Amino acid sequence: AESSLQKAVGLKPKIPQYYEMLGVCEVQQDKLQDAQVAFSRAVELAPEDPYAYYNLGLVYERQQDDKNAETAYLNAITLKAAERKFHLRLASLLDSRGAAGRALLYYENYLQFEPDNAFVKKRVGELQKGVKQE
C-alpha cells in the first residue's frame, strides 16, 4: 500500500488526501519522521483540513514533541470545534504535562459532546479539586 501511495503522490503531488493516507501508512510502520513529513505536506496543501492537523499532532505527540502537538491540536479545534476527539486529545496531552487548568478546559469541552463519559467526568472532578486548591 505504501509504495502505491508513494507512486500516487509522485503522479499527483497536489492531492492532500494522498499525503494523509501515506502518513497513516508511515505511522503504522512506526516511520514517524516520514509520517510527519507526509502530514505536514497535507497541511500545506489543505490548511482548512482539521484532520490533517490532528494527525500531525498525533505524530508529534508520539515523537514527544508536545509543543508542536499542542499547536496542531489547537489548529484542528479552531477549524472544527465540534469534533470531540480533538478536545479529548489536547486535554490528555495537557494533563500529562501537568497543565491542569488548561486540561480541565478541554476536558469540559469534550463533556459537552459526551456528557456520560465516566472516565472524563471523574478526571474533571479530580482536576477541579486540584485547581481550587492551587
Side-chain angles (χ1 to χ4, degrees), residues 73-123:
Y73 294 146
L74 285 169
N75 285 331
I77 289 169
T78 298
L79 291 168
K80 189 169 184 181
E83 180 60 70
R84 63 183 175 253
K85 71 180 174 182
F86 298 167
H87 296 273
L88 184 59
R89 190 71 246 150
L90 180 55
S92 178
L93 173 69
L94 294 169
D95 198 359
S96 71
R97 289 181 17 203
R102 294 183 60 223
L104 181 59
L105 171 69
Y106 291 99
Y107 279 134
E108 288 172 339
N109 288 347
Y110 173 81
L111 285 176
Q112 291 178 15
F113 304 106
E114 292 286 332
D116 297 327
N117 185 308
F119 171 78
V120 174
K121 284 169 59 173
K122 179 181 177 199
R123 188 64 188 135

Side-chain angles (χ1 to χ4, degrees), residues 21-92:
M21 290 185 287
L22 181 59
V24 169
C25 286
E26 302 288 13
V27 166
Q28 290 171 343
Q29 296 176 45
D30 209 33
K31 296 179 180 178
L32 298 181
Q33 187 61 40
D34 293 339
Q36 179 189 333
V37 170
F39 287 125
S40 293
R41 184 69 176 132
V43 164
E44 287 174 27
L45 292 171
E48 72 288 348
D49 180 0
Y51 297 97
Y53 286 102
Y54 177 75
N55 288 325
L56 182 58
L58 292 173
V59 171
Y60 281 135
E61 195 170 352
R62 285 197 46 197
Q63 293 174 315
Q64 298 179 337
D65 184 349
D66 292 349
K67 184 173 175 50
N68 280 322
E70 179 180 347
T71 299
Y73 294 146
L74 285 169
N75 285 331
I77 289 169
T78 298
L79 291 168
K80 189 169 184 181
E83 180 60 70
R84 63 183 175 253
K85 71 180 174 182
F86 298 167
H87 296 273
L88 184 59
R89 190 71 246 150
L90 180 55
S92 178

